Amino acid sequence: MEEIEELSPLRVASTVQALSSALRGNRENAPAANRGKGDRVFPDPEKLWFKESSAKNLRNRDFLSPTTVLNTLYADGQVPPAVMSRVLSLRGSGVLPVAGAEVMGEGLRLRVDRAAAFKAVLAGRTADYLKPSSQKEGCVLINCPALHPKIYTPTPETLTLGQLRTVLLADHMGALLRSQGFSVFYCPKLPKDANMVAFLRALGIDWPTAAADLTYEEQEEQILKALESSIYREEGADRGRKTCRGGGGGKKVEEEEENEGALRINLKRVFQEEGLLGYDPSLGTCTVQRDSISQLAQLALCTADCTEVTVTVLHVTSCQDEFRQQQMAMLWRASGAPHAQKHVVCGPVKTPGSHLTAAQYLQLRRGQMKEASEMKYGDQVEGQTWDDIIKVMTSATVRFELLSTVHTSPVTLDVQKEGGVSTKGPRGGVFVMYNCARLHTLFDSYERGVEKGLYPEIPEGSQLDFSALKEEGEWLLLFNYLIPFSELLDQSGQAIGYEGGGARANIKTEQICKFLVSLSKDFSSYYNRVHVLGEPLPHLFNQMFCRLYLLRALRELYHCALETLNLPPIRQL
């Protein structure tokens, strides 16, 4: 069994890159193998190999270079012996160990040395697989327009489901970006005594707050002066202005008009002259309103908290409000704000046959969760412990319903009272939390077995023979979830910190939810099939301990993934 350097976590991307280099070799030598073919167009290196993920394909291969690729690279698709030798002897930092390779009808298929991979991940620094591969620098301000006061501060009774989706998305993105190393701030700050604060906390969202009597008069005055002197101010507009006083905190603002003329800014010139892509060409000229000044003042105040040089502002908004938020972004730019700005735009939330506010939706799901729990667990569903469990399970249900879909696509919810939520089956948040709890129950059972003298303590990983992990589901859990998770986290920060590529941020916000649901399905299948805590016989302990190492890492994986959704793990059900 090949030893893997402990300080080099195994990565799928590193392995694919090394395999591609081995397959292509020195590019100047490649035409010799294709003599007479003329000028050949070689495939993108990233598409030479594909990681397998289905249980069916993983029975005989872990990576595949398809026949179409081989036919492009080599005459008649025949892999030269020197190339095969390079593939078989592949080594390097982060590269999965190779056990064998062969050319079959579907292409060149490669098998990983699974025992060596299990040992590298489970007996090494498992924590390296549960965090991003590198830490980034910079500040991200997440702006949620749904929470900004228009005349009054929004309440749970006025918040729409589409707006609730943007708030949940903002909260999830903040946790993801913090794991990347970014400093994350949120805008707006809500009044401490606002009903919205308690509502969001019921969903596990700890949104920043400010004193209820906080005003933004100074910042509003600064913003207004900057817009009055902006080069993008519309020519011919009266130099009079509206003075905004006390626009923050949802308090009604008294407007004093010094002249009849309105302040207008040519937003189209802003994005055209500054070379900003992806903004609506119909933005045109904007008349500056009181609530706009208030929002810009709060944005300016929040960015003042950012001490890093690089500041990126993410506006998380619904598709109905995208045009309005593009106006705000260009208005802020016209006032002199230098920060990169991106827009994360959410599709609508549809509830056929019903119309619910965010408060009604949460109340419905909480009631359904309590009812489902009582049907399954009976009279024991009472007391503070169960109240806490139902609160977390309700939050998980809501988050997975609204975040599992690509954020730009619509979400359709079944909010009929008889629809309910279920504690069984692969149905999103409840299913994920239930399987996380099963892992805690397993280790509680093991610890009780140790106390009774049935099992010894788990030994050091270096003392175990991980070739005992031969079950199909065991490799599936390592290869599809534990090893790739770090790279999944890496993707969350790729669209941050630069302003090129358009107005919208290309962030795949649905991936964590889908990852957790898929993980739970595969773990549940494995757990229902395999008896992890076997008979207390010494000759069976090695396999049991190897499985416990795998499932302990899986438990930590659940915790880390749920943390990005601000969901605490459920330890018992």
Side-chain angles (χ1 to χ4, degrees):
M1 184 172 66
E2 183 181 350
E3 294 293 330
I4 308 299
E5 185 182 352
E6 182 178 325
L7 298 180
S8 300
L10 303 179
R11 306 291 184 208
V12 172
S14 300
T15 304
V16 169
Q17 183 179 12
L19 285 171
S20 298
S21 297
L23 201 61
R24 290 166 65 92
N26 295 326
R27 198 63 269 139
E28 62 269 18
N29 297 330
N34 298 305
R35 197 167 290 138
K37 298 285 186 179
D39 293 333
R40 185 178 295 271
V41 177
F42 293 97
D44 185 331
E46 294 182 357
K47 297 180 180 179
L48 295 181
W49 289 89
F50 298 92
K51 174 193 175 294
E52 296 291 3
S53 58
S54 71
K56 178 182 177 181
N57 288 337
L58 286 174
R59 289 170 191 153
N60 54 47
R61 63 181 188 252
D62 299 306
F63 293 92
L64 177 71
S65 183
T67 299
T68 52
V69 169
L70 302 181
N71 287 336
T72 303
L73 287 174
Y74 309 112
D76 302 322
Q78 298 300 310
V79 180
V83 172
M84 184 66 79
S85 177
R86 284 201 301 268
V87 170
L88 290 171
S89 61
L90 202 64
R91 297 178 66 89
S93 177
V95 176
L96 283 153
V98 177
E102 57 188 344
V103 178
M104 303 296 288
E106 66 271 27
L108 175 56
R109 62 189 193 187
L110 180 137
R111 299 182 306 281
V112 169
D113 184 338
R114 296 184 175 184
F118 275 121
K119 184 174 182 179
V121 177
L122 303 178
R125 288 179 50 84
T126 306
D128 288 339
Y129 296 88
L130 305 177
K131 61 184 181 181
S133 61
S134 62
Q135 292 289 287
K136 295 181 170 59
E137 295 181 352
C139 176
V140 178
L141 175 65
I142 298 179
N143 178 39
C144 196
L147 298 180
H148 277 280
K150 303 303 185 287
I151 296 177
Y152 300 101
T153 300
T155 68
E157 290 72 26
T158 61
L159 195 70
T160 68
L161 293 181
Q163 291 172 326
L164 175 61
R165 187 184 186 189
T166 67
V167 178
L168 290 169
L169 192 63
D171 185 59
H172 175 42
M173 287 173 55
L176 279 172
L177 293 170
R178 280 194 299 271
S179 76
Q180 286 271 335
F182 290 102
S183 298
V184 178
F185 296 87
Y186 296 90
C187 186
K189 294 179 180 178
L190 296 173
K192 286 183 178 180
D193 58 354
N195 292 337
M196 185 66 76
V197 174
F199 173 77
L200 295 180
R201 284 178 180 163
L203 285 167
I205 300 175
D206 188 19
W207 198 270
T209 59
D213 58 352
L214 177 66
T215 62
Y216 301 91
E217 290 182 348
E218 183 180 346
Q219 289 78 20
E220 288 170 352
E221 187 72 16
Q222 291 172 356
I223 291 289
L224 201 55
K225 287 181 179 179
L227 288 174
E228 286 181 331
S229 59
S230 172
I231 61 173
Y232 301 110
R233 180 171 180 172
E234 190 79 328
E235 293 297 330
D238 196 301
R239 289 291 172 181
R241 68 178 187 179
K242 294 180 179 180
T243 302
C244 305
R245 294 178 179 170
K251 291 188 174 182
K252 193 172 182 178
V253 180
E254 296 181 0
E255 292 187 5
E256 176 185 324
E257 284 199 289
E258 296 181 351
N259 292 290
E260 294 183 357
L263 175 61
R264 301 183 184 89
I265 302 296
N266 191 322
L267 304 182
K268 190 170 186 177
R269 279 185 55 209
V270 178
F271 67 79
Q272 284 182 336
E273 294 183 12
E274 300 199 19
L276 304 176
L277 304 176
Y279 283 87
D280 194 317
S282 64
L283 280 177
T285 297
C286 172
T287 300
V288 179
Q289 302 292 334
R290 180 196 66 210
D291 62 330
S292 300
I293 294 294
S294 175
Q295 185 176 155
L296 295 183
Q298 293 186 60
L299 284 168
L301 189 63
C302 288
T303 52
D305 294 333
C306 300
T307 57
E308 286 84 351
V309 175
T310 304
V311 179
T312 302
V313 180
L314 292 179
H315 302 286
V316 186
T317 187
S318 64
C319 56
Q320 295 93 337
D321 293 332
E322 180 182 15
F323 183 82
R324 166 66 174 157
Q325 202 53 41
Q326 284 200 6
Q327 286 182 317
M328 294 299 303
M330 290 302 95
L331 199 59
W332 197 24
R333 193 82 176 198
S335 73
H339 315 299
Q341 298 183 68
K342 289 285 188 178
H343 299 261
V344 180
V345 182
C346 295
V349 178
K350 302 177 181 179
T351 55
S354 300
H355 177 73
L356 296 180
T357 66
Q360 292 169 332
Y361 168 59
L362 181 60
Q363 183 180 13
L364 174 66
R365 287 293 185 250
R366 185 188 294 114
Q368 291 171 334
M369 190 68 246
K370 182 174 175 59
E371 182 180 353
S373 299
E374 289 172 340
M375 289 180 64
K376 183 170 184 178
Y377 299 102
D379 294 338
Q380 63 177 298
V381 182
E382 59 182 18
Q384 187 60 50
T385 298
W386 267 102
D387 287 346
D388 293 340
I389 290 174
I390 289 171
K391 175 182 175 181
V392 173
M393 296 292 272
T394 303
S395 178
T397 298
V398 169
R399 286 174 184 270
F400 276 79
E401 283 186 334
L402 294 179
L403 298 180
S404 294
T405 304
V406 176
H407 68 270
T408 54
S409 300
V411 170
T412 301
L413 298 178
D414 177 7
V415 293
Q416 303 301 319
K417 291 185 178 180
E418 63 273 12
V421 293
S422 174
T423 57
K424 298 188 235 179
R427 298 186 64 179
V430 174
F431 183 64
V432 168
M433 303 304 285
Y434 170 70
N435 279 284
C436 181
R438 293 172 87 180
L439 282 164
H440 284 277
T441 301
L442 168 69
F443 281 94
D444 287 343
S445 298
Y446 167 72
E447 291 298 335
R448 287 195 298 270
V450 172
E451 291 172 2
K452 294 176 181 178
L454 295 176
Y455 307 121
E457 295 282 354
I458 300 179
E460 293 292 328
S462 58
Q463 301 176 29
L464 298 177
D465 179 7
F466 285 94
S467 64
L469 296 178
K470 298 182 183 297
E471 261 284 334
E472 178 181 286
E474 290 158 355
W475 179 244
L476 200 70
L477 292 171
L478 188 91
F479 193 55
N480 281 354
Y481 302 104
L482 276 166
I483 291 177
F485 181 65
S486 176
E487 294 170 82
L488 178 66
L489 292 177
D490 286 340
Q491 296 173 13
S492 64
Q494 290 177 352
I496 304 300
Y498 64 95
E499 202 157 9
R504 289 192 177 188
N506 183 26
I507 301 177
K508 297 179 179 179
T509 55
E510 77 288 353
Q511 286 188 335
I512 294 293
C513 287
K514 288 186 173 181
F515 175 89
L516 279 167
V517 170
S518 180
L519 166 62
S520 298
K521 289 178 181 177
D522 284 334
F523 165 67
S524 181
S525 175
Y526 170 75
Y527 193 77
N528 291 337
R529 188 175 67 252
V530 175
H531 189 50
V532 177
L533 297 180
E535 295 295 323
L537 301 174
H539 71 281
L540 299 177
F541 285 160
N542 177 77
Q543 184 182 60
M544 182 185 75
F545 289 141
C546 288
R547 286 173 171 170
L548 288 174
Y549 261 85
L550 173 63
L551 297 184
R552 186 168 61 183
L554 210 63
R555 182 182 62 181
E556 296 307 310
L557 175 62
Y558 265 105
H559 291 181
C560 292
L562 288 172
E563 188 176 346
T564 70
L565 292 163
N566 284 324
L567 286 171
I570 295 291
R571 299 179 184 275
Q572 63 177 32
L573 272 180

